[in-house]
Amino acid sequence: MATMLKVNDINVFYGAIHAVKGVSFEVNEGEVVTLIGANGAGKTTILNTVAGLLHTRTGTIDFNNIHLGHFPAHKILPLGLALVPEGRQIFQQMTVEENLEMGAYTRPKNEISDSLEDIFNRFPRLKERRKQIAGTLSGGEQQMVAMGRAMMSKPKLLMLDEPSMGLAPILVDQIFDIIQELHAAGTTILLVEQNAQMALSVADRGYVLETGKIVATGTGHELLEDEAVKKAYLGG
Amino acid sequence: MTFLSHLITGLSLGSIYAIIALGYTMVYGIAKMLNFAHGDVIMVGAYVCFFAVTGFALPPLVGILLAIILCTILGVVIERLAYKPLRQAASLTVLITAIGVSYFLQNGAQILWSASPKSFPTNFFNIGESKGITLFDGGLTISYVAIVTILLCLVIMAALTFFTGKTKMGKAMRACSENKAASQLMGINVNSTISMTFAIGSALAAVAGVLMCSAYPTLMPTTGALPGIKAFTAAVFGGIGSIPGAFIGGILLGLIETFTKAYITTNLSDAVVFAVLIIVLLVKPAGLLGKYVPEKV
């Protein structure tokens, strides 16, 4: 399996706050990899850095052997790296369809309608509401818009930041079903979650973060069985 | 008959305010800043057109095009030099910078073109010798300037509505105005989108400058200041950030101002305008068309 994303010893700061301390990990093609950890462990910071919204002070990030350096975010997406950000961040005042179109902003116009159909097949709910203003949708539907929007760019690597946040348990199950479907369809996924149980059960591999450092790593199964991980993140 | 005549004057003045307000509101929508130098770009546009036509004897249309081109460049340059470095700064910092740019342009115009007023040509829109259409046996004259101004305002309004609603670039602008980080994640270059907005706003300012000076021909370095403030008021009136809001706000402002001058007193026209603004904001704090979108979390 070829390495798709290679994060090597990165340090990220918010002003004087050292948020990510020498983190290294990699995501191989076709894998689902999860980063788990408590609030403030640095998970979102890592994803935002890979996506180009934040930049490293030291360390390197390579995607398909391209050195990302300090690329701005709008130049990273076209490489095939999409992020569904924390809190969804959909365009509240635009329609569902416009949100999805924005996801395909960097793609040629003639390819958009096919992708739109794909998304509507996967999320029939969004098709019914395609002309509705996205801000009026329910939380679960908004998460679908956010995921559909990211998928519109046909990413090679899809990064999901807390897709289950604030959703009812039945919707969390739905979102994880979709993640597994995308995985089965060949999309490589980097998943950040507080819901460690769910995340590890769909992941090939996982990394456990604590206050900006990776403290454990293993397959999803291994981490689910790990006593320390169980105690800290799995409620037992 | 005088009522009709005031109505048309009000509509055409309102159209000028609306064209300026559109620039204000678009820039506010995307950059979340009040570009108080916007009014002074109008003045620059009028001067450019004035010198092109009176100094270089170019045809009015060329003068107008030159004004549009130079103002577009000026707007983009102002954004790059003065506002872009302050992208992460507090909004108060940007506001003060905008006021600074406004004075910079006014003083610059004073140095370049002196403070003494110029008389802007009023014959741009004449057909032959005729200044306008005369109706009802001379009871009512509608100037061509007024007709062109009102029509152009409608065209600009329709074009902008189409642009922001249907085109890729326009939609990207709306996306940026709502959420810059998410827009970047879509691959949208936020900086060039902001530049584009300044370019459009400044081109509109040039058009407004020529139309305004064709109707009110006194041109001096402070010519743009008051209309700029009024147009800003119009944008707030209609709901700042909203394109139809700027249009309606501009038209209403022009009508209120003209009718106050005609039927109450000239001295109070600005006071009445602002009194109406205050009342509107008391009842609808977001302005007439400022929308409140409920957010679900």
Side-chain angles (χ1 to χ4, degrees):
Chain A
M1 263 190 307
T3 302
M4 189 174 246
L5 179 73
K6 188 166 175 51
V7 173
N8 188 18
D9 196 20
I10 59 166
N11 286 284
V12 186
F13 289 76
Y14 289 106
I17 300 163
H18 196 172
V20 175
K21 300 164 186 160
V23 165
S24 301
F25 65 93
E26 50 193 52
V27 181
N28 299 314
E29 204 174 328
E31 274 188 322
V32 176
V33 171
T34 183
L35 306 177
I36 58 173
N39 254 342
K43 305 177 305 276
T44 296
T45 308
I46 291 172
L47 288 198
N48 285 346
T49 308
V50 174
L53 290 173
L54 296 169
H55 295 299
T56 56
R57 190 166 289 180
T58 59
T60 57
I61 302 172
D62 292 273
F63 180 66
N64 281 338
N65 296 320
I66 298 168
H67 188 55
L68 297 186
H70 284 185
F71 276 28
H74 70 268
K75 291 201 174 139
I76 286 182
L77 177 99
L79 301 174
L81 221 165
L83 168 64
V84 179
E86 187 179 23
R88 306 184 261 276
Q89 310 287 333
I90 61 168
F91 300 115
Q92 303 267 344
Q93 297 178 31
M94 298 173 88
T95 66
V96 169
E97 194 169 337
E98 284 171 336
N99 265 278
L100 296 175
E101 281 171 16
M102 283 297 113
Y105 182 79
T106 56
R107 296 179 58 207
K109 207 175 178 181
N110 54 8
E111 291 177 14
I112 293 178
S113 60
D114 282 352
S115 297
L116 208 52
E117 279 315 304
D118 284 352
I119 303 293
F120 285 148
N121 286 335
R122 196 176 295 281
F123 305 106
R125 193 84 179 147
L126 297 187
K127 187 169 191 168
E128 293 164 28
R129 306 192 166 217
R130 64 197 290 174
K131 297 292 177 202
Q132 198 170 322
I133 299 294
T136 63
L137 300 178
S138 72
E141 290 162 345
Q142 292 195 13
Q143 186 61 46
M144 290 177 194
V145 172
M147 289 176 72
R149 187 178 67 173
M151 284 152 61
M152 286 294 285
S153 67
K154 289 236 168 165
K156 296 184 184 111
L157 172 61
L158 181 64
M159 299 189 286
L160 298 159
D161 196 347
E162 305 262 4
S164 72
M165 189 167 68
L167 298 184
I170 184 154
L171 289 169
V172 175
D173 287 345
Q174 259 184 42
I175 296 289
F176 275 85
D177 284 346
I178 293 162
I179 292 172
Q180 282 178 308
E181 280 170 41
L182 291 174
H183 179 219
T187 313
T188 309
I189 291 167
L190 176 56
L191 172 66
V192 153
E193 261 298 341
Q194 277 194 52
N195 189 337
Q197 177 82 46
M198 284 298 256
L200 290 172
S201 62
V202 300
D204 296 309
R205 292 188 303 113
Y207 294 86
V208 182
L209 275 160
E210 250 168 47
T211 56
K213 286 185 190 136
I214 288 176
V215 293
T217 176
T219 65
H221 189 72
E222 281 167 5
L223 290 175
L224 275 176
E225 296 301 315
D226 186 288
E227 287 305 321
V229 172
K230 266 191 192 170
K231 207 168 183 139
Y233 303 105
L234 304 172
Chain B
M1 218 50 70
T2 46
F3 173 79
L4 263 183
S5 151
H6 293 316
L7 180 68
I8 286 155
T9 310
L11 282 176
S12 99
L13 180 64
S15 297
I16 292 170
Y17 289 151
I19 297 171
I20 308 170
L22 285 168
Y24 250 114
T25 224
M26 285 179 77
V27 165
Y28 178 84
I30 197 153
K32 299 283 175 284
M33 65 159 292
L34 296 170
N35 179 19
F36 277 119
H38 191 65
D40 303 290
V41 177
I42 298 167
M43 171 275 296
V44 173
Y47 268 107
V48 169
C49 184
F50 173 81
F51 284 111
V53 174
T54 61
F56 296 90
L58 295 167
L61 197 61
V62 178
I64 294 169
L65 283 176
L66 265 179
I68 291 175
I69 293 166
L70 287 176
C71 283
T72 305
I73 296 170
L74 179 68
V76 173
V77 169
I78 289 174
E79 196 276 323
R80 273 291 143 89
L81 295 183
Y83 304 147
K84 193 180 168 197
L86 301 175
R87 206 56 55 79
Q88 310 300 331
S91 58
L92 212 54
T93 313
V94 188
L95 186 75
I96 290 165
T97 306
I99 295 172
V101 172
S102 165
Y103 280 115
F104 179 82
L105 291 177
Q106 286 181 25
N107 292 351
Q110 226 171 74
I111 293 168
L112 282 174
W113 303 312
S114 93
S116 66
K118 308 261 183 292
S119 181
F120 198 87
T122 52
N123 58 354
F124 281 6
F125 303 99
N126 292 3
I127 297 177
E129 285 300 295
S130 153
K131 277 181 114 41
I133 305 170
T134 306
L135 297 171
F136 309 112
D137 296 325
L140 175 69
T141 308
I142 308 173
S143 72
Y144 292 124
V145 184
I147 297 170
V148 170
T149 304
I150 294 165
L151 288 180
L152 211 53
C153 178
L154 289 172
V155 169
I156 288 169
M157 174 63 207
L160 282 181
T161 307
F162 175 81
F163 176 73
T164 53
K166 301 285 174 206
T167 68
K168 188 173 164 181
M169 184 78 214
K171 286 181 196 173
M173 246 175 215
R174 279 161 57 212
C176 285
S177 85
E178 209 184 304
N179 188 332
K180 290 199 179 52
S183 300
Q184 281 177 287
L185 292 175
M186 304 296 110
I188 298 169
N189 185 339
V190 172
N191 282 329
S192 53
T193 311
I194 292 177
S195 290
M196 182 72 169
T197 314
F198 271 85
I200 295 175
S202 307
L204 293 180
V207 173
V210 173
L211 292 171
M212 185 177 80
C213 288
S214 294
Y216 307 90
T218 313
L219 176 56
M220 46 187 183
T222 52
T223 290
L226 193 57
I229 297 291
K230 295 256 187 73
F232 165 59
T233 312
V236 175
F237 209 156
I240 192 142
S242 154
I243 287 178
F247 175 75
I248 293 174
I251 299 287
L252 282 178
L253 203 77
L255 288 173
I256 296 169
E257 186 179 325
T258 309
F259 284 128
T260 309
K261 275 182 184 160
Y263 296 113
I264 305 174
T265 156
T266 309
N267 296 331
L268 277 181
S269 69
D270 291 344
V272 172
V273 163
F274 282 91
V276 174
L277 173 75
I278 290 166
I279 293 165
V280 167
L281 292 185
L282 281 174
V283 182
K284 290 206 72 181
L288 291 173
L289 296 188
K291 52 189 164 180
Y292 168 73
V293 177
E295 276 184 37
K296 286 193 185 175
V297 244

